Amino acid sequence: MVALDPPEKVVEAIVWVSVNPREELPVGWKAGVSTASHRLFPDLTERLSADMVHKAQMERAPPAPNGPGAVHQPLEAGRGVSGGMLRPGPDGALRRSERVIRAP
């Protein structure tokens, strides 16, 4: 998938829209282009977006490892959410975020 906007830009938009209410606020140039495209060609834009997401999440995603499944009891692994976001490390190299939100 395409790189995400910096979190500071998103936070600034959230703060701005809390003072200046809007139903929607595109953040970043990609969101602006997407919004304009959807206004002009809604069906085409939705189909292209759906195709991109399907390819990224279903066709190109690595296969899940074989395991016992969760038929008789819940699995401990895989119960959290990380989002897979990359953060710069101390040496400037991008690393996966260590922050994980655990499900109850």
Side-chain angles (χ1 to χ4, degrees):
M1 299 289 294
V2 179
L4 300 174
D5 289 315
E8 296 82 11
K9 183 182 260 188
V10 176
V11 170
E12 287 176 14
I14 292 170
V15 171
W16 187 88
V17 83
S18 68
V19 176
N20 305 285
R22 302 268 188 282
E23 188 170 325
E24 292 183 0
L25 177 67
V27 178
W29 69 270
K30 296 179 294 287
V33 169
S34 178
T35 300
S37 173
H38 191 266
R39 285 186 182 141
L40 294 171
F41 313 105
D43 293 338
L44 176 63
T45 303
E46 289 181 17
R47 189 172 74 235
L48 290 175
S49 296
D51 288 346
M52 286 175 25
V53 170
H54 184 269
K55 284 179 185 171
Q57 293 182 353
M58 304 303 281
E59 295 175 13
R60 294 187 199 134
N66 290 333
V71 175
H72 301 290
Q73 61 186 6
L75 299 174
E76 278 303 312
R79 294 182 58 203
V81 178
S82 71
M85 302 296 116
L86 299 177
R87 294 176 181 250
D91 58 355
L94 291 177
R95 292 191 171 79
R96 292 222 178 262
S97 172
E98 298 299 321
R99 184 174 182 193
V100 176
I101 300 169
R102 295 281 175 210

